[in-house]
Amino acid sequence: MLIKLKVFRFDPEKEEKPTYQTFEIEADPMDRLLDCLNRIHWEQDPTLSFRMSCGHGVCGSDGMRINGICGLACQKLVKSFKEEVLIEPLPVFKVVKDLVVDLGPFFEKYNSIKPYLTTKTSPPDQERKQSPEEHKIFEEAIRCILCACCTASCPVNQNKETEGYVGPAALVRAFRYLFDSRDEASEERVALLDQKDGAGGCQTLWKCTEVCPKEIPVTKQIGRIKKRIYDAR
Amino acid sequence: MITQHDIVIVGAGLAGLRAAVECVDQADVAVVSKVFPTRSHSGAAQGGITASLGNEEEDHWEWHLFDTVKGSDYLGDQDAVEIMVRDAPRVIYELEHMGVPFSRTPEGKIAQRNFGGHTRDYGKKPVKRACYAADRTGRVVLDTLYDQCLRHQVKFYSENYVLSLVFDGKRCAGVVTYDLATGELHLLQAKAVLLATGGCGRIYKTTSNGFASTGDGIHLAYQSGIPLEDMEFIQFHPTGLYPLGILVSEAARGEGGFLRNRLGERFMERYAPMVKDLAARDVVSRAILTEIREGKGISGRGYVHLDLTHLGEEKIQERLWEIASFVRIYLGIDPVYDPIPVQPTCHYVMGGIPTDVDGRVLMDEKGTIAQGLFAAGECACVSVHGANRLGCNSLLDLLVFGRRSGLAMKQAISKVEHGTLTKDSLRATEEKIKKFFNVRGKEKIGEIRQRIQLLMMEKGSVFRNEEGLKKGIEEIRSLMEHYKNIGAVDKRKAFNFELMEAMELGHQLSLSEVILFSALHRRESRGAHYREDFPVRADRYFLKHTLVFQTPKGPDIRYKPVKITRFQPEARVY
Ligand SMILES: Cc1cc2nc3c(=O)[nH]c(=O)nc-3n(C[C@H](O)[C@H](O)[C@H](O)COP(=O)(O)OP(=O)(O)OC[C@H]3O[C@@H](n4cnc5c(N)ncnc54)[C@H](O)[C@@H]3O)c2cc1C
């Protein structure tokens, strides 16, 4: 089928403002949108820039705004669109070129929540024990691939006044460690998260949950963090 | 710009990150990666990591050793395999202590599952040896190691593309990188360089590998005078989604799934009576393609069915969530109710840069060490996988030998000072880039790449023969001529992916030639290398490792012996 991709183009070094360029390609209905972008890049316009890596929704490189909704280009099939698809970079972040955005601030926030297991007791010779039930609590959270779709979709992050909010992706990772039975730093974690721009920044608007390509119940997990903070007060 | 570090690691997959974690306490370590670290293809590993923990049933490292050697069709170096399997339990506990969220047994221990070729009591029946986190094992280990690197302040050069290795006399003394964001070239000087650049699966059209798996590091070494070992051994994983090639992990069969042909028959019972669907990958891939050749593919087409429908929704949701989601998204069917169409897909390169068991790169068949240069992970060939790798042994290899390389580099740098590199070292690379931008060629990168990928499927995949291989080499050489005429359209600096793809294409072309050349000269069938014209293993002539050297006249072949310690070659039946 013939499909039109209306693509956001911008080279901040050379251009004052972005433009949109429409490409037409003949695609199989089962093709991924990423396949279409690749074919444009390979066959029509090598100057089109976008990120990609694994092509099947595990690396998190190709997050972008597709018809207004953030998602992974490799997870969307041509058949689910009518004639024209609007393709834009993730909002919230600064555009570096075309669909490539600067994720530096995203990873800084991620890093700020101390994304590593912290233990104080020395480990046993073998594994630390953890029951399947304890593991299950964060099983969904470890699906996160850091694609930044949730943070880019969050109205709190989108709002200039509240953009300091650490954002849903960092909070999912914080949840994963806060609720890991092996972690021994919950007090510090709670203190770190109990801030205006921490879990308190979430206004329960559910956008993150709606867009998550890995179906993580993001808002619910942030809610559980908030409850944990509340209980500790 | 020249920047100095003690150690420069190229690659942020599990091999590179594990090495970084090991040496950051005593060295200034920088990791360079063309993709953001957590986008490395190690994150796509689904099934697990092997170790004879015995958490689910009796297991011993000696059994793991035997299975790996047999799986390698007796080409793996047994001294190296022994180091790997004995170290495996420690490696797993160490990961667990770092925070890897492994799935658990009811007693709270790390859960383990079956995987192809892993057996109890020297081949008697399948054993649960693969430690896993559902079907996202690679991803969670990658995340954990990345987090450890952040914690210990490893310096990352993300989205930096390594264009060349820099030598100070005979010593490797750094790399030249191309910063994708700015288009600038940098010289990173180092006392030790580790190549951990992963595999080259993107040489083939149907593959489970990501776009970045173009074999850059393997070819950078080859260009620098390092031979490549055992490159004829390319693994095709039996179960790639049809037609995309996306992997459906062996975990699906480990959890009880099986293969069926057009007649609904569980055909693996005929090919591997003892362990059936859990035979080694080369065996299962050939079986599937034989069924298809005999017209027993589904609807007479190029695929068979992987049937999970008897496993039940709960097990599939809990242990195979990712796989189920791929099938739903890309095929629009539900594996809980429908069998999955699968075909063999290019998955792993057993060969690579020859190293000793501490990651030191070897320059010839005598084992001369290349100063300052190390390699680990899929780009290296220790060799622990020989002619065919067993499932879940790769992550183990990355972690064991990534760590050992880290230790060896720490030791090595204590004895060297930075040499005097000048900007001259940058010049050759600068010239190359300039030339690329100035050529007004007509050839298109995408077209040449497509032709390589089709050609390699046809002549250099699961079934090979002399005529095809010769023809393949000829065609690759003619494509090399075309390659000289590729033209650059994108002249801008920031995120110019065209330049990177052009360099990758050069690597892919040259490695294709090495693969076909090595395959042509191995006139026997062993592991993943199957010659229709020489269908049996010929230990008398070919129980040896291939080494291919680059010379002005083209590739030159030599051999070196296999290290055999405990297990003499036997017939390989499953
Ligand atoms: C889909 C899939 C599933 C798998 N499942 C399993 C499994 O369950 N168990 C198992 O044991 N094995 C599995 N494997 C195999 C295993 O995952 C790989 O062999 C392994 O991850 C390779 O790791 P690596 O660290 O060597 O390289 P990679 O993880 O591929 O990383 C390569 C790194 O090198 C960088 N790089 C490459 N070239 C350059 C350059 N020129 N400049 C700068 N940086 C560069 C990349 O950016 C990347 O960071 C699987 C493989 C695939 C494809």
Side-chain angles (χ1 to χ4, degrees):
Chain A
M1 62 189 261
L2 187 75
I3 183 163
K4 284 186 196 155
L5 268 59
K6 189 172 166 190
V7 185
F8 177 99
R9 303 297 308 262
F10 188 34
D11 182 357
E13 261 179 40
K14 299 219 170 97
E15 295 149 11
E16 275 186 9
K17 57 179 202 312
T19 53
Y20 285 85
Q21 187 179 359
T22 303
F23 298 95
E24 281 188 8
I25 58 168
E26 196 53 52
D28 188 284
M30 296 303 278
D31 280 346
R32 298 163 277 200
L33 273 191
L34 179 64
D35 297 319
C36 300
L37 287 171
N38 269 330
R39 282 185 42 207
I40 292 172
H41 174 66
W42 293 331
E43 295 162 17
Q44 299 184 24
D45 186 353
T47 69
L48 176 66
S49 303
F50 53 93
R51 291 191 176 103
M52 53 145 187
S53 182
C54 77
H56 62 284
V58 291
C59 76
S61 301
D62 62 349
M64 49 190 80
R65 189 144 73 157
I66 302 162
N67 280 346
I69 299 168
C70 298
L72 304 177
C74 64
Q75 276 194 348
K76 307 281 177 209
L77 301 190
V78 166
K79 66 173 185 188
S80 46
F81 298 95
K82 302 223 174 66
E83 268 165 57
E84 191 173 275
V85 194
L86 177 64
I87 302 204
E88 299 168 292
L90 289 180
V92 170
F93 308 107
K94 202 177 96 214
V95 175
V96 185
K97 191 174 165 239
D98 301 338
L99 303 171
V100 177
V101 296
D102 178 10
L103 284 175
F106 174 79
F107 284 102
E108 267 164 40
K109 286 179 177 172
Y110 168 79
N111 200 10
S112 76
I113 59 99
K114 305 219 155 122
Y116 32 77
L117 189 77
T118 306
T119 54
K120 290 165 186 164
T121 52
S122 51
D125 289 342
Q126 300 184 335
E127 65 268 65
R128 286 178 198 268
K129 294 276 165 61
Q130 179 168 64
S131 71
E133 295 72 31
E134 287 167 331
H135 172 86
K136 206 162 180 172
I137 297 172
F138 59 80
E139 171 80 39
E140 289 159 324
I142 60 174
R143 281 184 211 152
C144 176
I145 57 174
L146 300 174
C147 64
C149 287
C150 57
T151 301
S153 307
C154 175
V156 182
N157 287 114
Q158 288 173 358
N159 183 339
K160 280 274 166 250
E161 278 168 30
T162 50
E163 65 179 3
Y165 169 46
V166 67
L171 290 174
V172 165
R173 192 52 58 97
F175 174 91
R176 175 245 175 283
Y177 285 109
L178 186 59
F179 287 92
D180 188 326
S181 60
R182 300 168 298 170
D183 194 78
E184 296 168 351
S186 66
E187 267 177 44
E188 292 94 313
R189 290 189 190 282
V190 166
L192 193 65
L193 294 163
D194 185 6
Q195 294 180 24
K196 175 172 83 43
D197 283 337
C202 168
Q203 297 175 12
T204 325
L205 301 169
W206 298 94
K207 291 286 175 214
C208 49
T209 308
E210 280 167 27
V211 300
C212 177
K214 304 307 277 188
E215 298 170 39
I216 302 170
V218 184
T219 317
K220 274 196 192 151
Q221 295 188 344
I222 301 176
R224 289 192 63 178
I225 298 179
K226 288 180 185 165
K227 177 156 186 318
R228 182 74 170 260
I229 293 173
Y230 185 79
D231 291 346
R233 277 186 189 154
Chain B
M1 204 170 63
I2 304 184
T3 313
Q4 292 187 336
H5 293 283
D6 292 334
I7 293 172
V8 166
I9 294 173
V10 187
L14 295 193
L17 296 186
R18 185 63 192 82
V21 168
E22 196 56 39
C23 45
V24 69
D25 63 333
Q26 283 172 35
D28 159 22
V29 182
V31 176
V32 188
S33 174
K34 62 178 172 180
V35 298
F36 184 81
T38 63
R39 318 298 190 211
S40 299
H41 209 57
S42 287
Q46 302 168 0
I49 315 171
T50 42
S52 55
L53 302 184
N55 281 358
E56 305 258 2
E57 53 192 344
E58 184 185 354
D59 199 5
H60 302 281
W61 67 261
E62 291 90 341
W63 297 352
H64 191 181
L65 172 64
F66 171 78
D67 291 338
T68 304
V69 170
K70 177 175 168 185
S72 80
D73 218 344
Y74 295 89
L75 195 70
D77 286 321
Q78 296 183 17
D79 54 344
V81 181
E82 181 163 335
I83 287 176
M84 180 174 84
V85 300
R86 291 182 84 149
D87 200 25
R90 197 195 52 74
V91 161
I92 298 293
Y93 295 139
E94 189 175 71
L95 286 180
E96 199 279 335
H97 296 160
M98 284 182 194
V100 170
F102 285 110
S103 297
R104 300 287 169 155
T105 66
E107 306 81 51
K109 294 182 178 178
I110 293 168
Q112 297 187 277
R113 61 161 55 122
N114 289 123
F115 243 78
H118 292 283
T119 67
R120 61 169 290 124
D121 209 5
Y122 308 100
K124 298 249 164 53
K125 70 191 246 283
V127 73
K128 291 184 175 164
R129 184 176 290 151
C131 309
Y132 61 94
D135 52 348
R136 59 182 74 92
T137 315
R139 179 75 216 196
V140 297
V141 179
L142 185 68
D143 284 340
T144 305
L145 288 177
Y146 177 62
D147 293 347
Q148 290 294 321
C149 286
L150 292 179
R151 185 178 195 172
H152 298 292
Q153 274 136 32
V154 170
K155 163 86 183 156
F156 281 99
Y157 291 92
S158 272
E159 302 194 305
N160 268 258
Y161 185 72
V162 170
L163 290 165
S164 58
L165 302 178
V166 174
F167 286 82
D168 182 7
K170 285 200 161 162
R171 159 174 290 278
C172 183
V175 298
V176 177
T177 68
Y178 168 79
D179 186 339
L180 283 165
T182 62
E184 301 298 330
L185 298 192
H186 296 300
L187 175 58
L188 300 182
Q189 192 178 358
K191 296 176 190 169
V193 172
L194 174 71
L195 293 173
T197 50
C200 58
R202 278 278 152 185
I203 287 176
Y204 292 82
K205 177 167 184 280
T206 306
T207 178
S208 66
N209 284 199
F211 290 97
S213 302
T214 47
D216 303 359
I218 304 178
H219 187 238
L220 287 174
Y222 184 61
Q223 275 179 322
S224 310
I226 309 293
L228 298 183
E229 181 171 345
D230 293 341
M231 287 298 287
E232 62 272 44
F233 300 103
I234 302 285
Q235 178 166 80
F236 274 71
H237 191 293
T239 57
L241 277 193
Y242 178 86
L244 287 170
I246 293 171
L247 189 75
V248 181
S249 168
E250 215 166 83
R253 279 171 286 137
E255 295 291 353
F258 39 70
L259 295 163
R260 292 182 190 277
N261 61 17
R262 182 168 64 86
L263 310 169
E265 184 195 7
R266 282 190 63 183
F267 58 88
M268 279 314 299
E269 290 175 346
R270 280 188 275 116
Y271 295 88
M274 244 175 329
V275 294
K276 308 184 179 77
D277 296 85
L278 288 173
R281 288 176 179 168
D282 57 325
V283 176
V284 183
S285 283
R286 277 194 297 274
I288 291 176
L289 290 175
T290 305
E291 293 294 300
I292 291 172
R293 282 181 164 191
E294 289 171 358
K296 286 184 270 182
I298 308 298
S299 325
R301 307 251 291 279
Y303 63 91
V304 296
H305 273 149
L306 171 61
D307 190 352
L308 310 183
T309 55
H310 54 289
L311 299 184
E313 183 159 7
E314 200 183 312
K315 194 167 189 180
I316 292 180
Q317 279 302 92
E318 192 184 303
R319 307 224 183 132
L320 305 169
W321 188 94
E322 302 281 342
I323 294 171
S325 124
F326 302 150
V327 176
R328 289 180 190 125
I329 293 175
Y330 299 110
L331 299 180
I333 59 174
D334 189 341
V336 175
Y337 309 105
D338 312 301
I340 311 169
V342 292
Q343 66 181 345
T345 184
C346 176
H347 188 59
Y348 185 86
V349 53
M350 269 70 72
I353 305 163
T355 70
D356 69 6
V357 295
D358 295 307
R360 283 181 280 254
V361 171
L362 306 175
M363 297 184 67
D364 55 30
E365 64 278 25
K366 292 187 232 82
T368 311
I369 286 168
Q371 295 301 318
L373 189 59
F374 296 76
E378 191 169 334
C379 71
C381 180
V382 184
S383 138
V384 283
H385 309 301
N388 172 68
R389 170 172 77 81
L390 290 190
C392 293
N393 266 356
S394 170
L395 296 193
L396 179 60
D397 164 9
L398 310 176
L399 295 160
V400 169
F401 296 104
R403 172 175 168 274
R404 293 177 70 96
S405 307
L407 287 169
M409 287 192 294
K410 259 199 306 205
Q411 231 183 18
I413 60 165
S414 67
K415 289 172 235 142
V416 276
E417 292 299 319
H418 282 298
T420 42
L421 287 186
T422 61
K423 288 220 167 124
D424 285 348
S425 320
L426 266 175
R427 206 144 299 149
T429 313
E430 269 167 357
E431 287 303 317
K432 191 169 162 189
I433 302 301
K434 219 184 264 163
K435 205 172 125 211
F436 171 72
F437 281 122
N438 290 336
V439 169
R440 290 182 172 271
K442 286 201 190 65
E443 301 284 349
K444 286 194 168 161
I445 297 172
E447 266 172 38
I448 299 183
R449 182 174 41 219
Q450 212 173 10
R451 285 176 62 187
I452 304 177
Q453 290 173 336
L454 283 173
L455 173 94
M456 291 302 284
M457 289 305 287
E458 226 171 87
K459 316 280 194 225
S461 57
V462 176
F463 295 110
R464 302 160 169 183
N465 59 55
E466 177 158 335
E467 198 194 327
L469 291 166
K470 280 189 169 155
K471 205 137 182 258
I473 294 173
E474 252 170 57
E475 287 176 36
I476 288 289
R477 287 181 182 158
S478 118
L479 287 175
M480 286 173 165
E481 291 305 313
H482 289 270
Y483 176 71
K484 291 181 183 153
N485 268 319
I486 50 171
V489 179
D490 194 353
K491 314 260 176 189
R492 292 182 292 184
K493 282 192 151 180
F495 286 97
N496 185 331
F497 287 117
E498 198 189 21
L499 173 71
M500 183 171 95
E501 286 182 31
M503 299 300 129
E504 290 173 344
L505 184 63
H507 299 315
Q508 290 169 306
L509 264 171
S510 191
L511 290 183
S512 299
E513 186 190 25
V514 177
I515 292 169
L516 297 174
F517 188 79
S518 309
L520 177 67
H521 285 80
R522 187 171 283 277
R523 294 153 77 90
E524 66 156 354
S525 292
R526 182 185 299 272
H529 170 70
Y530 189 86
R531 286 280 300 257
E532 290 164 321
D533 40 356
F534 297 97
V536 288
R537 195 175 80 195
D539 288 335
R540 222 172 121 194
Y541 307 105
F542 286 105
L543 185 57
K544 56 188 181 187
H545 296 291
T546 304
L547 288 178
V548 173
F549 295 75
Q550 189 180 42
T551 75
K553 286 193 216 121
D556 179 32
I557 207 156
R558 290 185 223 161
Y559 292 93
K560 70 175 183 185
V562 178
K563 293 198 191 97
I564 294 173
T565 56
R566 290 176 189 243
F567 300 108
Q568 289 302 320
E570 283 174 21
R572 184 165 167 259
V573 276
Y574 281 100

